[in-house]
Amino acid sequence: MELNQEQKEMLEGKHGDPKKKAMEILVQLGEIYGAKRMVPITSVHMAGSSVVVAGKAGTKLVEQMAAQGGEFVPVTTLNSGACDMASPGVIGFPEDLVKMQERLTNAYCEMGAISYHSCTPYYSDNVPKPGAHVAWGESSAIIFANSVLGARTNREGGPTGLAAALTGYVPEYGFHLDENRRGQVLVKVEEVPTDINEFGTLGYYVGQICGDRVPVFLGIEKAKMDELKMLGAALASSGACALFHIVGLTPEAPTLEAAMGGLEPEQEVIYGLEQKREAMAKLNKAPNDHVDMVVIGCPHASISELQAIAELFKTRRVKKGIQVWILTPVTTKALAERMGLVKIIEEAGAQIVCDTCIILAPMKEVMAKDGLSSVSTNSAKLAHYAPGQWGFNVHYGSLERCIESAVTGRWK
Ligand code: F3S
């Protein structure tokens, strides 16, 4: 691979050990994928930010890089961690795990990361410009960066994200190249989703068909930010999609021709009522109507979602014994506090949980402690992963139905 002077010096160890090791990883990666050169990046979103994922070995590696003077070059945010950093005791996350999470977070921050433990870095300072090369982890964030922001990222894991942050470069292959960004599967949406939950259902259905191919949607050009977030998260869950286009809406799809790169689609898909019902049925796996827990905010909820939740809780209370977790970034919670939304939600009996989620937290311990076995959610991503990851029985539906289940303890 062709390296510039700075990259060669990093490889030779002239910029310190952390950059040397990082550049070695990136060069090997580039060689595996046939990259011709490195490209500079403007931001990183770090995948290995939960100790549940990084483990002891990952935590030690990050601490070692920090101790050796490693410094992050671009803006770097942290993905969701394993606990709420401000109030780990409230939920009862194990103490040893909380301590290890603090060690990991501190080591990342020592190197310059922003302690924004969330899967929605685009609600923070980490908003790359269209066309910018970035190195993001977390499937829902990756697909949002590529599709909605028009930035360019591959699916970066913990070690490659760390290497990219330390050097400010990634090898140029995959979604960094124009030829890999054209649409492959044309999706004609006849049953247009009407809320964020329905956008998740659409993404779930299409993701199963696309695998890692790029879908191009026709008919949903009025989708809003939160809806795009849910669509992408679901596409990246049932499939391995890292990029989608919506004709007339997303930055690389002003026309169908532009979205398809001038080529014909490999496959055409119709999404109608029948397909929506099929996807809904697959995501609703609970054997009965019993509800122990309600989780909203996968990906983490925006301030608009918190407004909608507070509105639904204004005159209602969570049934005794039911846990309701509203997942949101710490900065969004602060804003919601100022707007009086936190008070309404907490007085209703729900908890606002920051920095983590039920997939990246040690839920086995929490479930055993509190006797939790069934969860309702409006997130197709969560409905897809919660059964396999923790054995949850899942009820999947609109925000209104989820809040109703929190109030009654039953899924209707
Ligand atoms: Fe975010 Fe966790 Fe869902 S990281 S996308 S809330 S699985």
Side-chain angles (χ1 to χ4, degrees):
M1 192 174 4
E2 208 177 283
L3 298 181
N4 67 20
Q5 188 58 29
E6 187 196 16
Q7 293 154 4
K8 279 183 197 156
E9 284 179 12
M10 284 184 190
L11 204 53
E12 287 159 9
K14 288 184 182 159
H15 296 266
D17 231 35
K19 284 195 200 301
K20 179 179 190 309
K21 286 201 189 93
M23 190 49 82
E24 283 169 0
I25 291 172
L26 296 175
V27 168
Q28 275 182 25
L29 187 70
E31 278 167 0
I32 290 169
Y33 286 100
K36 293 200 174 84
R37 56 177 191 146
M38 299 277 177
V39 284
I41 52 167
T42 58
S43 95
V44 170
H45 185 58
M46 199 69 77
S49 300
S50 163
V51 285
V52 171
V53 177
K56 278 187 191 154
T59 305
K60 271 196 177 159
L61 173 74
V62 178
E63 284 183 325
Q64 193 187 16
M65 293 287 181
Q68 289 173 345
E71 277 180 15
F72 291 163
V73 179
V75 175
T76 300
T77 41
L78 302 180
N79 195 40
S80 303
C83 58
D84 188 322
M85 308 293 283
S87 51
V90 178
I91 287 165
F93 293 121
E95 218 174 286
D96 53 338
L97 176 127
V98 172
K99 284 208 176 104
M100 193 150 88
Q101 182 65 60
E102 279 168 0
R103 274 176 45 197
L104 180 63
T105 303
N106 289 344
Y108 276 130
C109 290
E110 225 175 285
M111 292 189 275
I114 300 168
S115 176
Y116 179 83
H117 273 298
S118 172
C119 43
T120 53
Y122 40 87
Y123 294 154
S124 76
D125 276 4
N126 196 349
V127 189
K129 288 184 185 154
H133 296 283
V134 301
W136 280 27
E138 162 48 37
S139 63
S140 69
I142 293 163
I143 195 167
F144 194 93
N146 273 325
S147 317
V148 182
L149 303 179
R152 298 182 164 218
T153 181
N154 287 321
R155 299 179 194 87
E156 302 297 351
T160 58
L162 182 60
L166 285 164
T167 59
Y169 292 102
V170 289
E172 190 184 39
Y173 69 94
F175 290 105
H176 293 284
L177 298 167
D178 288 346
E179 61 263 33
N180 298 321
R181 298 183 66 85
R182 71 165 196 90
Q184 292 156 293
V185 178
L186 182 60
V187 184
K188 294 180 177 163
V189 182
E190 292 177 354
E191 177 69 16
V192 177
T194 55
D195 64 16
I196 62 170
N197 163 246
E198 291 196 354
F199 270 90
T201 311
L202 167 63
Y204 182 80
Y205 181 82
V206 174
Q208 298 173 110
I209 295 168
C210 282
D212 64 358
R213 295 179 295 171
V214 178
V216 174
F217 291 91
L218 275 178
I220 52 168
E221 65 283 351
K222 294 206 173 97
K224 301 185 198 96
M225 283 288 263
D226 289 333
E227 295 167 342
L228 296 172
K229 173 182 77 175
M230 284 304 216
L231 174 71
L235 278 166
S237 305
S238 60
C241 299
L243 168 64
F244 65 84
H245 301 297
I246 299 175
V247 176
L249 180 65
T250 54
E252 291 165 67
T255 61
L256 177 58
E257 202 190 7
M260 299 301 309
L263 300 175
E264 289 299 310
E266 292 169 11
Q267 190 179 353
E268 284 196 18
V269 175
I270 303 279
Y271 181 79
L273 192 56
E274 194 188 316
Q275 289 72 21
K276 174 178 149 182
R277 286 191 176 140
E278 185 190 316
M280 289 288 292
K282 271 196 183 165
L283 288 165
N284 268 295
K285 296 204 182 78
N288 54 42
D289 66 353
H290 177 76
V291 173
D292 294 316
M293 186 179 200
V294 178
V295 178
I296 307 293
C298 170
H300 283 180
S302 67
I303 194 68
S304 310
E305 289 174 84
L306 293 186
Q307 280 178 309
I309 294 162
E311 191 57 40
L312 289 166
F313 271 135
K314 251 186 189 160
T315 54
R316 325 186 75 195
R317 293 290 171 268
V318 173
K319 189 175 178 194
K320 202 164 174 257
I322 310 251
Q323 292 203 19
V324 180
W325 289 19
I326 313 294
L327 311 170
T328 195
V330 68
T331 46
T332 308
K333 182 180 178 186
L335 185 57
E337 225 146 26
R338 176 195 273 195
M339 292 164 69
L341 306 175
V342 172
K343 191 166 179 278
I344 296 170
I345 293 168
E346 289 184 346
E347 278 181 3
Q351 285 175 284
I352 297 195
V353 179
C354 299
D355 305 316
T356 188
C357 75
I358 74 160
I359 297 300
L360 292 172
M363 285 307 289
K364 219 176 196 170
E365 286 86 340
V366 179
M367 287 169 78
K369 179 175 69 65
D370 298 336
L372 309 174
S373 66
S374 68
V375 65
S376 22
T377 183
N378 66 342
S379 162
K381 172 169 180 174
L382 192 59
H384 177 71
Y385 284 119
Q389 177 92 352
W390 304 119
F392 269 115
N393 294 320
V394 173
H395 300 285
Y396 170 72
S398 67
L399 176 64
E400 289 76 10
R401 286 183 84 189
C402 290
I403 301 300
E404 179 70 19
S405 74
V407 172
T408 62
R410 294 273 172 254
W411 185 257
K412 287 186 187 143

